Each structure stands twice: as structure tokens, then as C-alpha cells.
């Protein structure tokens, strides 16, 4: 049985990944998570006491803690990050601390422990920058041209992983994925924010003209990609995962309105995000060929499944809204929820 250190497992994608691992594999899992505003211990509370699962509260940049945890670990999957672009525009420092410094601390500890690997670093399409309307989707060998402090910090961590592979021969694998949606996503991101506002008959703030394009992927498909990378990837490889589903933000929001039977008058066009990337799209040919991976969920069923989850789990997001998120929303949009 393999022992895997998963970081950031109490966040959106980490939660879905650990659930998948516990259901479908017999790995022993250590989940290291700092429980920032985005980390919710409730997400995995039902697994407390599970013989193959252990939660440790702590930060990935804590060298002593990470050094101790790494002993006896075979592989690492690094989800831990500050993940929200808008927050990085307000304050970049936590992004550098966690995403850049934290990744290096993990790499150093992984090397010192002599773990067999792999070290899977979970990254994003945003490191490639923005595509023009007719440009082909991003490929793994495209230049890194990040535009936000968030994406610049992720690109930096990708380069540190590459350096660890080139310099020390560490078995590092980098995965880059497009926009995820699904259960347990913190309601600062577009889809859960819009579902929750819609359910409460609140305005749906769309940045700029709403024609920015994202390539949407259901979170379980991303998790299956990360699992395939963990089990099958060649050391040093980089894999793109995309949903083959390019939609404008306006199309996404209109779909949510339609599912919930609400009118378009809820839409409110607001000031654009500074440096707002116009379009992301991923070419996942390599992952399809080398990992035998492909996205399974189409957007029509995935978004309905997601809306259903937020309808069935109102307690989950109500507890978030009554806490820190309320303050953040007020600060960010200049008005109370
Ligand atoms: P999230 O913000 O929901 O979760 C991040 C988790 O990391 C939280 O549980 C948080 O407590 C934890 N964390 C933050 N700083 C930490 C630290 N210093 N030490 C330990 N834990 C810390 O993020 P997410 O959407 O689940 O994203 C997970 C990863 O996937 C990130 O690396 C992100 O860049 C990447 N990614 C996300 C998307 C997306 O659409 N959400 C797409 C592509 C890639
Ligand atoms: O209120 C909003 N209104 C709006 O128009 C919010 C929160 C977002 N948007 C727009 C901005 C983007 O064009 O919707 C799009 C999606 O925004 P986010 O949900 O903030 O995601 P994005 O900035 O695309 O980044 C996401 O995908 C890549 C994740 O947050 C990153 O962690 C991941 O790397």
C-alpha cells in the first residue's frame, strides 16, 4: 500500500480528490491543510477515524512539519494554494508565501526523504496567459505568460518543479487544468457564487462585457486526470487537462438562471477585473494519448448536477456565508450580501 501526502485536501478540488482516492484505491492518505478561509474541515469530517486517512492542520511552508510528515511518504499531490485571482490582485503576498515558497519547501523535503514519487504538482491553464479568439488551445510546450499575481505565482511554482526535475532528477509531474466546477467549491468562484446569489434572488455580478471565455471541466474529471498522472505519468512530464467546453461567462450564468427558473434581470454588469484574461482553452491531446484520460461529464449534465448539490447542501454554504465570506464579499463588492 502506498502512502500519499495530499496537500490542500480541505479545499474544493482536494476534497473531491481524497473522496475519489478513498472510494477507488487502497492508498494511505495524509491530508496537510492550513484551513485558510477556503479550507473547510467539514468536507471530509465523515472520514475522521478512517484507517487510511489522517488530517494534519499545518502549512506547506512549515519546513519542520513538512519534513516530519514526508518520512515514509511515497508520493505527493500538491493542491495547496491561494487560488483566487481577485484576491491576488488585492494582495499578492500570501500567494507568494504559499504557492511559491510552500512548493519549494515540499520539493526540498521530498528530496531529503528520498521518496520514490511521483511528486504531482497541480497547476493551471492560467500560467499560459490569454488566448485571442481564433488561436489554437494551449499546449504543454507553449510559453508561460501569466497575467495576474495568482497565475504568476503558479507559473513560478511550476518552474521550481521543473528545476527540481532537471537539477536533482526528482520525479516531478506537473498537471495544468482549466476551470473546474462541481461540489464543494467555495462561493467566491463564478459558478457557486452565481448559483447561491440566484437562489437568494441577489444580483449576479458579471465582470466587463461577460464575453470572456473559460474551458469548463467537471471536478471529478480533473481528479481522475490527477490520479492518472499519479499512477501513469513519466517523471518530468507536463499534462494539460481541459473540458473541451468553451463558454462565455454570460452563457454560463444564463444556463444557471434557466435551470433555476430565474430571469435575466438578476444579471448586473460590473467593473471589469484588472488584467482580465480573455480566453482560456486547453489541448489535452497528450493526456488522452499517454494517460488514457478524457473528460466524461458534459456541461449540460455537470452543471445540473452541481446546481442540485448546492440546492441539497444549503447548510454547507449558509455556514460559509455567515462567516468570513460575508466580510470578503462586502470588502470586494463594497456592499453587504
Ligand atoms: P481552494 O482555494 O478551494 O483550496 C485550497 C486549499 O489549500 C484550502 O483547503 C486551503 O486551506 C489550503 N491551503 C492554502 N494555503 C495553504 C498552505 N500554506 N498550507 C497548506 N494548505 C494551504 O483551491 P482549489 O480550487 O481546490 O484548487 C486546488 C489547486 O488546483 C490549486 O493549486 C489551484 O491553483 C489548482 N487549480 C484550480 C482550478 C480551479 O478551477 N479551481 C483549476 C486549475 C488548477
Ligand atoms: O463575480 C464574478 N464575476 C465574473 O464575471 C466572478 C467571481 C468571476 N467572474 C468571471 C471572471 C472569469 O472570467 O468569471 C470567470 C471565472 O472567474 P473565477 O471563478 O474567479 O475563475 P478564474 O479567474 O477563471 O480562475 C479559476 O480557474 C483557474 C480558478 O479560480 C483558478 O484557481 C484556476 O487556476
Amino acid at each position: 500500500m502506498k502512502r500519499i501526502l495530499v496537500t490542500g485536501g480541505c479545499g474544493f478540488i482536494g476534497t473531491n480528490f481524497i473522496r475519489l482516492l478513498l472510494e477507488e484505491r487502497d492508498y494511505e492518505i495524509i491530508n496537510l491543510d492550513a484551513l485558510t478561509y477556503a479550507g473547510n474541515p467539514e468536507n471530509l469530517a465523515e472520514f475522521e477515524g478512517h484507517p487510511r486517512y489522517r488530517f494534519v492542520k499545518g502549512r506547506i511552508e512549515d519546513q519542520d512539519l513538512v519534513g516530519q510528515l514526508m518520512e515514509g511518504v511515497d508520493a505527493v499531490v500538491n493542491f495547496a494554494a491561494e487560488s483566487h485571482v481577485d484576491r491576488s490582485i488585492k494582495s499578492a503576498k500570501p500567494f507568494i508565501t504559499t504557492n511559491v515558497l510552500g512548493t519549494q519547501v515540499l520539493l526540498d523535503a521530498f528530496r531529503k526523504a528520498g521518496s520514490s514519487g511521483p511528486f504531482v504538482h497541480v497547476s493551471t491553464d492560467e500560467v499560459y496567459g490569454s488566448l485571442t479568439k481564433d488561436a489554437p488551445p494551449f499546449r504543454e510546450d507553449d510559453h508561460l505568460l501569466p497575467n495576474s499575481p495568482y497565475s504568476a505565482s503558479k507559473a513560478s511554482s511550476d518552474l521550481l518543479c521543473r528545476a527540481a526535475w532537471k537539477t536533482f532528477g526528482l520525479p516531478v509531474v506537473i498537471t495544468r487544468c482549466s476551470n473546474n466546477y462541481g461540489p464543494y467549491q467555495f462561493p467566491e468562484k463564478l459558478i457557486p457564487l452565481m448559483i447561491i446569489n440566484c437562489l437568494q434572488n441577489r444580483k449576479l455580478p458579471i465582470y466587463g462585457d461577460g464575453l470572456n471565455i473559460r474551458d469548463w471541466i467537471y471536478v471529478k474529471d480533473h481528479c481522475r486526470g490527477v490520479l492518472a498522472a499519479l499512477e501513469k505519468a513519466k517523471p518530468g512530464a507536463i499534462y494539460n487537462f481541459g473540458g473541451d467546453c468553451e463558454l462565455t461567462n454570460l452563457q454560463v450564468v444564463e444556463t444557471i438562471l434557466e435551470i433555476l427558473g430565474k430571469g435575466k434581470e438578476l444579471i448586473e454588469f460590473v467593473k471589469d477585473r484588472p488584467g482580465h484574461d480573455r480566453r482560456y482553452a486547453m489541448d489535452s491531446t497528450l493526456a488522452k494519448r499517454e494517460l488514457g484520460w478524457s473528460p466524461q461529464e458534459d456541461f449540460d449534465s455537470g452543471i445540473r448536477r452541481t446546481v442540485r448539490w448546492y440546492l441539497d447542501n444549503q447548510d454547507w454554504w449558509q455556514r460559509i456565508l455567515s462567516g468570513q465570506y460575508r466580510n470578503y464579499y462586502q470588502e470586494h463588492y463594497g456592499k453587504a450580501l
Side-chain angles (χ1 to χ4, degrees), residues 309-333:
W309 189 86
Y310 283 89
L311 276 168
D312 290 345
N313 291 277
Q314 302 208 16
D315 289 356
W316 181 87
W317 54 262
Q318 289 287 3
R319 277 193 288 277
I320 293 173
L321 293 197
S322 61
Q324 313 95 314
Y325 176 63
R326 180 179 292 280
N327 303 333
Y328 169 70
Y329 192 95
Q330 182 146 18
E331 246 175 58
H332 191 62
Y333 297 110

PDB file of all heavy atoms in Angstrom, residues 309-333:
ATOM      1  N   TRP A 309     -26.440  19.937  -6.195  1.00  0.00           N
ATOM      2  CA  TRP A 309     -25.631  19.794  -4.981  1.00  0.00           C
ATOM      3  C   TRP A 309     -25.775  21.035  -4.096  1.00  0.00           C
ATOM      4  O   TRP A 309     -25.947  20.917  -2.875  1.00  0.00           O
ATOM      5  CB  TRP A 309     -24.149  19.551  -5.336  1.00  0.00           C
ATOM      6  CG  TRP A 309     -23.348  19.176  -4.125  1.00  0.00           C
ATOM      7  CD1 TRP A 309     -23.186  17.922  -3.611  1.00  0.00           C
ATOM      8  CD2 TRP A 309     -22.653  20.062  -3.228  1.00  0.00           C
ATOM      9  NE1 TRP A 309     -22.414  17.972  -2.469  1.00  0.00           N
ATOM     10  CE2 TRP A 309     -22.074  19.267  -2.208  1.00  0.00           C
ATOM     11  CE3 TRP A 309     -22.455  21.441  -3.197  1.00  0.00           C
ATOM     12  CZ2 TRP A 309     -21.319  19.803  -1.171  1.00  0.00           C
ATOM     13  CZ3 TRP A 309     -21.696  21.985  -2.160  1.00  0.00           C
ATOM     14  CH2 TRP A 309     -21.150  21.166  -1.154  1.00  0.00           C
ATOM     15  N   TYR A 310     -25.753  22.208  -4.699  1.00  0.00           N
ATOM     16  CA  TYR A 310     -25.878  23.431  -3.880  1.00  0.00           C
ATOM     17  C   TYR A 310     -27.303  23.571  -3.320  1.00  0.00           C
ATOM     18  O   TYR A 310     -27.490  24.123  -2.235  1.00  0.00           O
ATOM     19  CB  TYR A 310     -25.444  24.680  -4.681  1.00  0.00           C
ATOM     20  CG  TYR A 310     -23.927  24.766  -4.756  1.00  0.00           C
ATOM     21  CD1 TYR A 310     -23.227  24.146  -5.799  1.00  0.00           C
ATOM     22  CD2 TYR A 310     -23.182  25.399  -3.772  1.00  0.00           C
ATOM     23  CE1 TYR A 310     -21.839  24.178  -5.856  1.00  0.00           C
ATOM     24  CE2 TYR A 310     -21.791  25.437  -3.809  1.00  0.00           C
ATOM     25  CZ  TYR A 310     -21.126  24.820  -4.849  1.00  0.00           C
ATOM     26  OH  TYR A 310     -19.750  24.844  -4.888  1.00  0.00           O
ATOM     27  N   LEU A 311     -28.299  23.022  -4.042  1.00  0.00           N
ATOM     28  CA  LEU A 311     -29.675  23.017  -3.506  1.00  0.00           C
ATOM     29  C   LEU A 311     -29.786  22.050  -2.330  1.00  0.00           C
ATOM     30  O   LEU A 311     -30.441  22.347  -1.325  1.00  0.00           O
ATOM     31  CB  LEU A 311     -30.655  22.572  -4.598  1.00  0.00           C
ATOM     32  CG  LEU A 311     -31.131  23.645  -5.569  1.00  0.00           C
ATOM     33  CD1 LEU A 311     -31.844  23.002  -6.756  1.00  0.00           C
ATOM     34  CD2 LEU A 311     -32.059  24.632  -4.863  1.00  0.00           C
ATOM     35  N   ASP A 312     -29.119  20.905  -2.460  1.00  0.00           N
ATOM     36  CA  ASP A 312     -29.219  19.874  -1.416  1.00  0.00           C
ATOM     37  C   ASP A 312     -28.313  20.149  -0.222  1.00  0.00           C
ATOM     38  O   ASP A 312     -28.402  19.461   0.790  1.00  0.00           O
ATOM     39  CB  ASP A 312     -28.832  18.494  -1.991  1.00  0.00           C
ATOM     40  CG  ASP A 312     -29.866  17.970  -2.970  1.00  0.00           C
ATOM     41  OD1 ASP A 312     -30.989  18.510  -2.981  1.00  0.00           O
ATOM     42  OD2 ASP A 312     -29.540  17.040  -3.731  1.00  0.00           O
ATOM     43  N   ASN A 313     -27.385  21.088  -0.371  1.00  0.00           N
ATOM     44  CA  ASN A 313     -26.402  21.330   0.701  1.00  0.00           C
ATOM     45  C   ASN A 313     -26.398  22.798   1.131  1.00  0.00           C
ATOM     46  O   ASN A 313     -25.340  23.407   1.285  1.00  0.00           O
ATOM     47  CB  ASN A 313     -25.007  20.892   0.241  1.00  0.00           C
ATOM     48  CG  ASN A 313     -24.907  19.380   0.111  1.00  0.00           C
ATOM     49  OD1 ASN A 313     -24.680  18.683   1.098  1.00  0.00           O
ATOM     50  ND2 ASN A 313     -25.143  18.883  -1.076  1.00  0.00           N
ATOM     51  N   GLN A 314     -27.601  23.312   1.330  1.00  0.00           N
ATOM     52  CA  GLN A 314     -27.708  24.744   1.676  1.00  0.00           C
ATOM     53  C   GLN A 314     -27.044  25.047   3.009  1.00  0.00           C
ATOM     54  O   GLN A 314     -26.484  26.124   3.200  1.00  0.00           O
ATOM     55  CB  GLN A 314     -29.170  25.175   1.676  1.00  0.00           C
ATOM     56  CG  GLN A 314     -29.800  24.922   0.322  1.00  0.00           C
ATOM     57  CD  GLN A 314     -30.952  25.850  -0.017  1.00  0.00           C
ATOM     58  OE1 GLN A 314     -31.130  26.890   0.603  1.00  0.00           O
ATOM     59  NE2 GLN A 314     -31.730  25.475  -1.009  1.00  0.00           N
ATOM     60  N   ASP A 315     -27.075  24.073   3.939  1.00  0.00           N
ATOM     61  CA  ASP A 315     -26.416  24.295   5.239  1.00  0.00           C
ATOM     62  C   ASP A 315     -24.924  24.549   5.055  1.00  0.00           C
ATOM     63  O   ASP A 315     -24.335  25.367   5.743  1.00  0.00           O
ATOM     64  CB  ASP A 315     -26.536  23.057   6.145  1.00  0.00           C
ATOM     65  CG  ASP A 315     -27.955  22.880   6.618  1.00  0.00           C
ATOM     66  OD1 ASP A 315     -28.785  23.746   6.302  1.00  0.00           O
ATOM     67  OD2 ASP A 315     -28.207  21.855   7.294  1.00  0.00           O
ATOM     68  N   TRP A 316     -24.331  23.819   4.125  1.00  0.00           N
ATOM     69  CA  TRP A 316     -22.877  23.927   3.881  1.00  0.00           C
ATOM     70  C   TRP A 316     -22.527  25.363   3.498  1.00  0.00           C
ATOM     71  O   TRP A 316     -21.628  25.967   4.075  1.00  0.00           O
ATOM     72  CB  TRP A 316     -22.470  22.936   2.774  1.00  0.00           C
ATOM     73  CG  TRP A 316     -21.007  22.929   2.430  1.00  0.00           C
ATOM     74  CD1 TRP A 316     -20.027  22.192   3.038  1.00  0.00           C
ATOM     75  CD2 TRP A 316     -20.344  23.678   1.399  1.00  0.00           C
ATOM     76  NE1 TRP A 316     -18.804  22.447   2.452  1.00  0.00           N
ATOM     77  CE2 TRP A 316     -18.969  23.351   1.440  1.00  0.00           C
ATOM     78  CE3 TRP A 316     -20.777  24.590   0.430  1.00  0.00           C
ATOM     79  CZ2 TRP A 316     -18.027  23.903   0.570  1.00  0.00           C
ATOM     80  CZ3 TRP A 316     -19.832  25.142  -0.441  1.00  0.00           C
ATOM     81  CH2 TRP A 316     -18.488  24.802  -0.361  1.00  0.00           C
ATOM     82  N   TRP A 317     -23.238  25.901   2.510  1.00  0.00           N
ATOM     83  CA  TRP A 317     -22.841  27.258   2.068  1.00  0.00           C
ATOM     84  C   TRP A 317     -23.413  28.351   2.963  1.00  0.00           C
ATOM     85  O   TRP A 317     -22.814  29.418   3.090  1.00  0.00           O
ATOM     86  CB  TRP A 317     -23.110  27.486   0.579  1.00  0.00           C
ATOM     87  CG  TRP A 317     -24.493  27.241   0.036  1.00  0.00           C
ATOM     88  CD1 TRP A 317     -24.918  26.107  -0.593  1.00  0.00           C
ATOM     89  CD2 TRP A 317     -25.594  28.150   0.018  1.00  0.00           C
ATOM     90  NE1 TRP A 317     -26.220  26.257  -0.997  1.00  0.00           N
ATOM     91  CE2 TRP A 317     -26.658  27.508  -0.645  1.00  0.00           C
ATOM     92  CE3 TRP A 317     -25.791  29.448   0.484  1.00  0.00           C
ATOM     93  CZ2 TRP A 317     -27.907  28.114  -0.833  1.00  0.00           C
ATOM     94  CZ3 TRP A 317     -27.035  30.050   0.284  1.00  0.00           C
ATOM     95  CH2 TRP A 317     -28.071  29.379  -0.358  1.00  0.00           C
ATOM     96  N   GLN A 318     -24.530  28.061   3.654  1.00  0.00           N
ATOM     97  CA  GLN A 318     -25.048  29.075   4.588  1.00  0.00           C
ATOM     98  C   GLN A 318     -24.051  29.305   5.719  1.00  0.00           C
ATOM     99  O   GLN A 318     -23.854  30.428   6.156  1.00  0.00           O
ATOM    100  CB  GLN A 318     -26.393  28.641   5.196  1.00  0.00           C
ATOM    101  CG  GLN A 318     -27.569  28.669   4.221  1.00  0.00           C
ATOM    102  CD  GLN A 318     -28.034  30.082   3.884  1.00  0.00           C
ATOM    103  OE1 GLN A 318     -27.451  31.061   4.320  1.00  0.00           O
ATOM    104  NE2 GLN A 318     -29.083  30.181   3.057  1.00  0.00           N
ATOM    105  N   ARG A 319     -23.414  28.212   6.166  1.00  0.00           N
ATOM    106  CA  ARG A 319     -22.409  28.368   7.232  1.00  0.00           C
ATOM    107  C   ARG A 319     -21.217  29.197   6.737  1.00  0.00           C
ATOM    108  O   ARG A 319     -20.630  29.964   7.484  1.00  0.00           O
ATOM    109  CB  ARG A 319     -21.929  26.996   7.738  1.00  0.00           C
ATOM    110  CG  ARG A 319     -22.871  26.391   8.768  1.00  0.00           C
ATOM    111  CD  ARG A 319     -22.219  25.218   9.483  1.00  0.00           C
ATOM    112  NE  ARG A 319     -22.086  24.047   8.631  1.00  0.00           N
ATOM    113  CZ  ARG A 319     -23.043  23.157   8.416  1.00  0.00           C
ATOM    114  NH1 ARG A 319     -24.232  23.307   8.991  1.00  0.00           N
ATOM    115  NH2 ARG A 319     -22.845  22.114   7.628  1.00  0.00           N
ATOM    116  N   ILE A 320     -20.882  29.054   5.480  1.00  0.00           N
ATOM    117  CA  ILE A 320     -19.781  29.864   4.927  1.00  0.00           C
ATOM    118  C   ILE A 320     -20.216  31.330   4.819  1.00  0.00           C
ATOM    119  O   ILE A 320     -19.488  32.240   5.206  1.00  0.00           O
ATOM    120  CB  ILE A 320     -19.333  29.317   3.549  1.00  0.00           C
ATOM    121  CG1 ILE A 320     -18.693  27.940   3.725  1.00  0.00           C
ATOM    122  CG2 ILE A 320     -18.364  30.280   2.874  1.00  0.00           C
ATOM    123  CD1 ILE A 320     -18.362  27.230   2.423  1.00  0.00           C
ATOM    124  N   LEU A 321     -21.424  31.543   4.313  1.00  0.00           N
ATOM    125  CA  LEU A 321     -21.900  32.927   4.130  1.00  0.00           C
ATOM    126  C   LEU A 321     -21.990  33.679   5.452  1.00  0.00           C
ATOM    127  O   LEU A 321     -21.764  34.883   5.498  1.00  0.00           O
ATOM    128  CB  LEU A 321     -23.290  32.954   3.488  1.00  0.00           C
ATOM    129  CG  LEU A 321     -23.432  32.470   2.053  1.00  0.00           C
ATOM    130  CD1 LEU A 321     -24.743  32.963   1.465  1.00  0.00           C
ATOM    131  CD2 LEU A 321     -22.291  32.932   1.173  1.00  0.00           C
ATOM    132  N   SER A 322     -22.299  32.963   6.522  1.00  0.00           N
ATOM    133  CA  SER A 322     -22.464  33.650   7.795  1.00  0.00           C
ATOM    134  C   SER A 322     -21.109  33.922   8.453  1.00  0.00           C
ATOM    135  O   SER A 322     -21.033  34.580   9.476  1.00  0.00           O
ATOM    136  CB  SER A 322     -23.354  32.839   8.730  1.00  0.00           C
ATOM    137  OG  SER A 322     -22.734  31.601   8.951  1.00  0.00           O
ATOM    138  N   GLY A 323     -20.037  33.426   7.842  1.00  0.00           N
ATOM    139  CA  GLY A 323     -18.705  33.633   8.421  1.00  0.00           C
ATOM    140  C   GLY A 323     -17.861  34.583   7.603  1.00  0.00           C
ATOM    141  O   GLY A 323     -18.328  35.622   7.140  1.00  0.00           O
ATOM    142  N   GLN A 324     -16.623  34.171   7.374  1.00  0.00           N
ATOM    143  CA  GLN A 324     -15.653  35.049   6.741  1.00  0.00           C
ATOM    144  C   GLN A 324     -16.082  35.527   5.361  1.00  0.00           C
ATOM    145  O   GLN A 324     -15.727  36.613   4.949  1.00  0.00           O
ATOM    146  CB  GLN A 324     -14.300  34.336   6.544  1.00  0.00           C
ATOM    147  CG  GLN A 324     -13.792  33.595   7.725  1.00  0.00           C
ATOM    148  CD  GLN A 324     -14.197  32.137   7.602  1.00  0.00           C
ATOM    149  OE1 GLN A 324     -15.352  31.817   7.282  1.00  0.00           O
ATOM    150  NE2 GLN A 324     -13.245  31.262   7.868  1.00  0.00           N
ATOM    151  N   TYR A 325     -16.810  34.690   4.635  1.00  0.00           N
ATOM    152  CA  TYR A 325     -17.121  35.037   3.254  1.00  0.00           C
ATOM    153  C   TYR A 325     -17.910  36.343   3.177  1.00  0.00           C
ATOM    154  O   TYR A 325     -17.707  37.151   2.284  1.00  0.00           O
ATOM    155  CB  TYR A 325     -17.899  33.899   2.595  1.00  0.00           C
ATOM    156  CG  TYR A 325     -18.331  34.251   1.201  1.00  0.00           C
ATOM    157  CD1 TYR A 325     -17.375  34.493   0.216  1.00  0.00           C
ATOM    158  CD2 TYR A 325     -19.666  34.389   0.880  1.00  0.00           C
ATOM    159  CE1 TYR A 325     -17.746  34.847  -1.057  1.00  0.00           C
ATOM    160  CE2 TYR A 325     -20.047  34.743  -0.396  1.00  0.00           C
ATOM    161  CZ  TYR A 325     -19.078  34.965  -1.369  1.00  0.00           C
ATOM    162  OH  TYR A 325     -19.463  35.326  -2.626  1.00  0.00           O
ATOM    163  N   ARG A 326     -18.794  36.542   4.169  1.00  0.00           N
ATOM    164  CA  ARG A 326     -19.604  37.761   4.191  1.00  0.00           C
ATOM    165  C   ARG A 326     -18.706  39.002   4.202  1.00  0.00           C
ATOM    166  O   ARG A 326     -18.918  39.943   3.439  1.00  0.00           O
ATOM    167  CB  ARG A 326     -20.500  37.747   5.433  1.00  0.00           C
ATOM    168  CG  ARG A 326     -21.385  38.948   5.573  1.00  0.00           C
ATOM    169  CD  ARG A 326     -22.226  38.807   6.824  1.00  0.00           C
ATOM    170  NE  ARG A 326     -23.204  37.725   6.699  1.00  0.00           N
ATOM    171  CZ  ARG A 326     -24.364  37.839   6.058  1.00  0.00           C
ATOM    172  NH1 ARG A 326     -24.676  38.968   5.478  1.00  0.00           N
ATOM    173  NH2 ARG A 326     -25.205  36.836   5.999  1.00  0.00           N
ATOM    174  N   ASN A 327     -17.671  38.962   5.056  1.00  0.00           N
ATOM    175  CA  ASN A 327     -16.768  40.113   5.147  1.00  0.00           C
ATOM    176  C   ASN A 327     -16.031  40.331   3.828  1.00  0.00           C
ATOM    177  O   ASN A 327     -15.863  41.439   3.368  1.00  0.00           O
ATOM    178  CB  ASN A 327     -15.728  39.894   6.253  1.00  0.00           C
ATOM    179  CG  ASN A 327     -16.417  39.653   7.570  1.00  0.00           C
ATOM    180  OD1 ASN A 327     -17.535  40.122   7.770  1.00  0.00           O
ATOM    181  ND2 ASN A 327     -15.770  38.914   8.450  1.00  0.00           N
ATOM    182  N   TYR A 328     -15.615  39.223   3.247  1.00  0.00           N
ATOM    183  CA  TYR A 328     -14.873  39.315   1.995  1.00  0.00           C
ATOM    184  C   TYR A 328     -15.766  39.930   0.914  1.00  0.00           C
ATOM    185  O   TYR A 328     -15.350  40.805   0.165  1.00  0.00           O
ATOM    186  CB  TYR A 328     -14.412  37.918   1.560  1.00  0.00           C
ATOM    187  CG  TYR A 328     -13.873  37.907   0.157  1.00  0.00           C
ATOM    188  CD1 TYR A 328     -12.656  38.519  -0.129  1.00  0.00           C
ATOM    189  CD2 TYR A 328     -14.589  37.331  -0.876  1.00  0.00           C
ATOM    190  CE1 TYR A 328     -12.166  38.543  -1.422  1.00  0.00           C
ATOM    191  CE2 TYR A 328     -14.113  37.361  -2.170  1.00  0.00           C
ATOM    192  CZ  TYR A 328     -12.900  37.964  -2.438  1.00  0.00           C
ATOM    193  OH  TYR A 328     -12.424  37.994  -3.721  1.00  0.00           O
ATOM    194  N   TYR A 329     -16.988  39.463   0.853  1.00  0.00           N
ATOM    195  CA  TYR A 329     -17.902  39.953  -0.174  1.00  0.00           C
ATOM    196  C   TYR A 329     -18.114  41.454  -0.026  1.00  0.00           C
ATOM    197  O   TYR A 329     -18.061  42.211  -0.981  1.00  0.00           O
ATOM    198  CB  TYR A 329     -19.248  39.224  -0.042  1.00  0.00           C
ATOM    199  CG  TYR A 329     -20.175  39.428  -1.219  1.00  0.00           C
ATOM    200  CD1 TYR A 329     -20.211  38.507  -2.253  1.00  0.00           C
ATOM    201  CD2 TYR A 329     -21.015  40.537  -1.289  1.00  0.00           C
ATOM    202  CE1 TYR A 329     -21.044  38.681  -3.339  1.00  0.00           C
ATOM    203  CE2 TYR A 329     -21.856  40.714  -2.380  1.00  0.00           C
ATOM    204  CZ  TYR A 329     -21.869  39.776  -3.391  1.00  0.00           C
ATOM    205  OH  TYR A 329     -22.702  39.953  -4.467  1.00  0.00           O
ATOM    206  N   GLN A 330     -18.306  41.863   1.220  1.00  0.00           N
ATOM    207  CA  GLN A 330     -18.544  43.282   1.487  1.00  0.00           C
ATOM    208  C   GLN A 330     -17.331  44.119   1.057  1.00  0.00           C
ATOM    209  O   GLN A 330     -17.467  45.143   0.391  1.00  0.00           O
ATOM    210  CB  GLN A 330     -18.821  43.496   2.980  1.00  0.00           C
ATOM    211  CG  GLN A 330     -19.133  44.953   3.294  1.00  0.00           C
ATOM    212  CD  GLN A 330     -20.149  45.074   4.414  1.00  0.00           C
ATOM    213  OE1 GLN A 330     -20.376  44.117   5.164  1.00  0.00           O
ATOM    214  NE2 GLN A 330     -20.759  46.221   4.529  1.00  0.00           N
ATOM    215  N   GLU A 331     -16.140  43.634   1.421  1.00  0.00           N
ATOM    216  CA  GLU A 331     -14.911  44.341   1.054  1.00  0.00           C
ATOM    217  C   GLU A 331     -14.764  44.430  -0.459  1.00  0.00           C
ATOM    218  O   GLU A 331     -14.423  45.448  -1.016  1.00  0.00           O
ATOM    219  CB  GLU A 331     -13.721  43.511   1.541  1.00  0.00           C
ATOM    220  CG  GLU A 331     -12.891  44.152   2.626  1.00  0.00           C
ATOM    221  CD  GLU A 331     -11.858  43.144   3.062  1.00  0.00           C
ATOM    222  OE1 GLU A 331     -11.074  42.697   2.216  1.00  0.00           O
ATOM    223  OE2 GLU A 331     -11.883  42.787   4.253  1.00  0.00           O
ATOM    224  N   HIS A 332     -15.062  43.287  -1.100  1.00  0.00           N
ATOM    225  CA  HIS A 332     -14.772  43.146  -2.515  1.00  0.00           C
ATOM    226  C   HIS A 332     -15.770  43.912  -3.384  1.00  0.00           C
ATOM    227  O   HIS A 332     -15.399  44.575  -4.341  1.00  0.00           O
ATOM    228  CB  HIS A 332     -14.821  41.657  -2.845  1.00  0.00           C
ATOM    229  CG  HIS A 332     -14.297  41.323  -4.188  1.00  0.00           C
ATOM    230  ND1 HIS A 332     -12.995  41.560  -4.551  1.00  0.00           N
ATOM    231  CD2 HIS A 332     -14.898  40.795  -5.279  1.00  0.00           C
ATOM    232  CE1 HIS A 332     -12.828  41.170  -5.801  1.00  0.00           C
ATOM    233  NE2 HIS A 332     -13.969  40.710  -6.255  1.00  0.00           N
ATOM    234  N   TYR A 333     -17.036  43.782  -3.056  1.00  0.00           N
ATOM    235  CA  TYR A 333     -18.063  44.416  -3.888  1.00  0.00           C
ATOM    236  C   TYR A 333     -18.588  45.717  -3.287  1.00  0.00           C
ATOM    237  O   TYR A 333     -19.476  46.355  -3.845  1.00  0.00           O
ATOM    238  CB  TYR A 333     -19.226  43.452  -4.141  1.00  0.00           C
ATOM    239  CG  TYR A 333     -18.809  42.233  -4.914  1.00  0.00           C
ATOM    240  CD1 TYR A 333     -18.758  40.987  -4.319  1.00  0.00           C
ATOM    241  CD2 TYR A 333     -18.437  42.336  -6.253  1.00  0.00           C
ATOM    242  CE1 TYR A 333     -18.350  39.868  -5.025  1.00  0.00           C
ATOM    243  CE2 TYR A 333     -18.029  41.232  -6.974  1.00  0.00           C
ATOM    244  CZ  TYR A 333     -17.988  40.000  -6.356  1.00  0.00           C
ATOM    245  OH  TYR A 333     -17.585  38.900  -7.060  1.00  0.00           O
TER     246      TYR A 333
END
